[in-house]
Amino acid sequence: MHRNADGSARGYAALNRPEDWIRSIDFGNAPAGLAQLAGQFEGWAGHLTVFITASQVEPVLRPIYALPTGYWWRRTPGLTLIGDAAHLMSPFAGEGANLALYDGAELAKAIIRYPGDIEAALAAFERDLFPRSTEVAEASAQNLARFFGPDAPWSVVELFESIRDIEL
Ligand SMILES: Cc1cc2nc3c(=O)[nH]c(=O)nc-3n(C[C@H](O)[C@H](O)[C@H](O)COP(=O)(O)OP(=O)(O)OC[C@H]3O[C@@H](n4cnc5c(N)ncnc54)[C@H](O)[C@@H]3O)c2cc1C
């Protein structure tokens, strides 16, 4: 949840459910639809689930897609991909935008390194792109399992505690 400048609150609720299931909820009947959604968080503190049941707007449904970890392609002359197009992953490593920016910078550097030889530049760029994105995609997939696995939310608590320990 975060609070906006006008005092309203906006937040995300994430669920591991088939896309058809979530789309089958009728948010046209807002109280019933929101109650059905909040029912998925049975046992959670009421002061958290009220953010769902008291929502004044229809939820925006955003399915999460990911390419298979380690996805790669054969060199295609004159073409390459960067960012999510190259390595779409779930947002649970918080690295997709960082990687997209890094890809762009690395591609520019490769083009400068091989003046007049775009194929050499793209081949060099992709040599580093695949291992780099695979490593982050693996971390993202592991975190996805932490967030939605049978040990959640304690697996997430452990994750944040391990980060806190590193920073200390
Ligand atoms: C809930 C969530 C939380 C996230 N949190 C983080 C985070 O904390 N840190 C982080 O680093 N990353 C995070 N990400 C990931 C990050 O948002 C993406 O990895 C990043 O936006 C990818 O950038 P991109 O430019 O490759 O693709 P996009 O941002 O998807 O940009 C592609 C653009 O191309 C446009 N487009 C598509 N088709 C066409 C077409 N045919 N013609 C013209 N334009 C077209 C699209 O409209 C879009 O504007 C998060 C993602 C989600 C969903």
Side-chain angles (χ1 to χ4, degrees), residues 34-164:
L34 292 170
Q36 200 178 336
L37 195 57
Q40 300 299 309
F41 296 89
E42 200 183 336
W44 286 55
H47 65 267
L48 295 176
T49 52
V50 75
F51 281 112
I52 300 175
T53 50
S55 177
Q56 291 167 356
V57 293
E58 192 175 310
V60 180
L61 306 181
R62 295 200 169 102
I64 291 178
Y65 300 105
L67 284 166
T69 305
Y71 179 80
W72 65 283
W73 58 87
R74 289 186 202 291
R75 183 85 281 292
T76 303
L79 180 80
T80 193
L81 297 171
I82 63 171
D84 277 8
H87 41 64
L88 181 66
M89 58 190 73
S90 84
F92 290 90
E95 291 286 6
N98 293 306
L99 268 185
L101 292 167
Y102 194 87
D103 290 347
E106 288 296 295
L107 179 57
K109 284 199 286 191
I111 292 170
I112 292 166
R113 205 179 316 133
Y114 295 93
D117 190 353
I118 194 70
E119 279 316 302
L122 297 185
F125 167 72
E126 288 181 359
R127 245 191 326 270
D128 293 340
L129 168 78
F130 295 128
R132 176 169 72 238
S133 52
T134 296
E135 192 182 323
V136 183
E138 279 168 1
S140 180
Q142 280 170 13
N143 286 349
L144 183 72
R146 283 189 174 109
F147 272 81
F148 296 105
D151 298 331
W154 301 113
S155 39
V156 180
V157 173
E158 272 171 29
L159 172 67
F160 282 103
E161 281 184 339
S162 69
I163 294 169
R164 186 195 60 188

